[in-house]
Structures are given as structure tokens and as C-alpha cells.
Amino acid sequence: MRQLTATLVITALALVAVMTAAASGGGATHATIVAALNAERAASGIPATVRENADWSSKCAKHVAYLDATGQLSHTEDASSPASTADGRWAGENSVLAMGSTWEHGNPFATAPLHLIQLMSPELRRVGVDESPAGTVCMTTFPGYASAGWKKPTVYSVPGNGAVGVPYAETARELPFVPGDFVGVPRGETGFNIMVFAEGIADRWNAHIASATLTGPSGPVEVRTVDRTTPTVGDYLPPGSGFVIPVAPLAPGTSYTASVVFAGGKARRTWQFTTAPQ
């Protein structure tokens, strides 16, 4: 049930400008979407080897058709509806979803951190994808994870080491909650929700961030952490993952040093990134 419940988050990205742009396009191809996702992963030093599972994509297409037919963004389907199918119901329960934006106009999950962290997980190997010209997007996540490949603890991050142009501010837009809700971060504009992933550790399903820091030219920045052990929201995170959330927006055009240590001490990372200019 951990894998199932971790997918039941609904994104709220249906901004008027995005909806207008998406409606005028034809929707990106599956190959284009997977390539764009791999490019984002590579930019952060995360394995960019995600491949499409055509069967899962077919199931996503059926759930996308259901969502467009009903006009309601939901991970579940009403089995009594003529638009409902068993394949569509499976896809809905195992995917991240968006409505109102297509990959033609950038990553629809860019400001939905609980969705984005599932897609950026180093463990993601296979994905089913589909999107409609109306801007309804379905991408499977947890079924495509695999933990093999790490002989020793390794920590990845988004942004990666040396990254430039990192958003200095972010307003997370997803429902029913955002990561900061569970660690006392007020709703609204924060710094970019930094993602960290510990691979090759003993118990990735209970990965815990023991400490994290973020330092800029003026000294330490206040951050809060969310991980697999955080009540309620923890089950929505991929195994081994967590967030380091700057409580307030960062300074534009500024270099920062981040560090994170996972419980046990063997999985740790220190890296630098630079925010985008104002």
C-alpha cells in the first residue's frame, strides 16, 4: 500500500495562461516526453536512462481519455462510467497527473514538488506516459522503480552540483498538500524545494535526513526537512528521498553551499549551486 498511496496527490497547475497555451498545441509525443524528462535528470547528475513501457503508456492513455471525458482531475475512476476501464483505473492509481499544461510548454510538474520528486528519483527506470492536446498528463512512477545498481551509499540532488539558474523562489502548487505543510513552513513563496536521494542504503523506505544545511554569502539559511519518516507526507516520497526546503525565498544570482546527511552517516553530500538572476 505504500507504493499505491504515495501516488494519490492531485496537481493544481490549471492556470489560465497555461491552459490557453496547451489548448493551442497538439500534445508532445511519448518519445519527446521521455527525452525531456531524461534531459532534466541528466542536468542534475541523475541517471538519465528512463525508458518507456508501452503497455503502461496505453493504460495512461485510457485514464487520460477518462479525465478528458469527465472533466474531473482524479486518480480514481467511477467504474459505472462508460469512459472507465480497468487499465485506466490502474494507471490513475499509479501515476502523477496534471491538467492544463503539456510537456510542449515545459515540465507540467515543475512547481509540484511531490510529483516532481517521483519523476526525478534515481530509481525510476521505466515509465508509462500520455498527454492529450487539452493538456491532461499521466505519467506512471512507483511501478517503474528499481533499487539495484548501487554498491555503496550515494546521494543525488536536484539541483545538482554546479547547477546554475536555479529558481530562487517557488510557490508549490499541488493538492491536497505541499511538503512544507508538515514541517511548519507557511504556505506561499519559499526557496526552491531542494530534492535529495540516498541510494545504496539499508532501509530506503524509512530514509531519514539526520541533518541539512544551506549557506549563502550572508551565512546560514533557515531550512526544514521532509523525508520518508515525516508523518502523512512521507509515504508520498520515493524510497530514499527527501526535501530540504528554504523557509524564505533565496537571493537571486547568488551561490549557495548545501549539505545533507542521512541517518547512519554513510549517505551524505555537500554541493554548490547558483540561483537565477532576478
Side-chain angles (χ1 to χ4, degrees):
M1 289 303 294
R2 282 179 174 177
Q3 295 186 354
L4 178 60
T5 58
T7 62
L8 301 182
V9 187
I10 301 174
T11 183
L13 299 178
L15 304 179
V16 173
V18 175
M19 290 183 69
T20 302
S24 64
T29 66
H30 295 178
T32 298
I33 294 171
V34 174
L37 175 61
N38 275 324
E40 284 195 28
R41 292 164 63 92
S44 291
I46 294 173
T49 54
V50 178
R51 297 174 62 184
E52 181 188 4
N53 181 304
D55 180 57
W56 295 350
S57 291
S58 175
K59 292 177 180 180
C60 257
K62 292 177 181 179
H63 190 61
V64 165
Y66 174 87
L67 298 180
D68 283 345
T70 61
Q72 298 294 319
L73 183 60
S74 173
H75 285 274
T76 60
E77 295 186 5
D78 179 356
S80 67
S81 168
S84 179
T85 63
D87 284 350
R89 292 192 289 273
W90 179 91
E93 293 173 352
N94 288 281
S95 301
V96 290
L97 306 172
M99 222 177 218
S101 178
T102 74
W103 277 88
E104 284 186 309
H105 303 281
N107 189 331
F109 306 101
T111 57
L114 289 172
H115 295 67
L116 188 60
I117 197 170
Q118 293 186 27
L119 293 171
M120 298 302 286
S121 170
E123 297 191 14
L124 186 62
R125 310 292 175 83
R126 298 289 184 270
V127 65
V129 300
D130 195 69
E131 70 173 37
S132 71
T136 302
V137 182
C138 169
M139 300 185 71
T140 63
T141 54
F142 277 72
Y145 290 163
S147 62
W150 291 276
K151 296 181 179 179
K152 62 180 182 179
T154 303
V155 177
Y156 299 88
S157 65
V158 179
N161 186 39
V164 298
V166 176
Y168 55 83
E170 176 177 15
T171 300
R173 295 186 174 95
E174 55 192 344
L175 296 173
F177 40 67
V178 300
D181 289 347
F182 299 88
V183 289
V185 178
R187 279 288 184 113
E189 198 172 50
T190 67
F192 180 74
N193 283 229
I194 299 167
M195 292 164 255
V196 290
F197 306 88
E199 302 300 343
I201 61 175
D203 187 2
R204 40 197 252 290
W205 287 105
N206 291 293
H208 173 60
I209 296 174
S211 64
T213 63
L214 184 63
T215 306
S218 300
V221 173
E222 183 182 5
V223 297
R224 307 283 173 82
T225 61
V226 173
D227 57 39
R228 285 285 310 176
T229 68
T230 306
T232 305
V233 71
D235 278 347
Y236 290 73
L237 306 185
S241 69
F243 289 102
V244 178
I245 308 171
V247 173
L250 303 178
T254 301
S255 294
Y256 289 88
T257 298
S259 70
V260 64
V261 179
F262 282 82
K266 293 183 178 180
R268 58 175 62 220
R269 178 178 174 88
T270 298
W271 74 103
Q272 292 79 39
F273 64 85
T274 302
T275 55
Q278 192 165 24

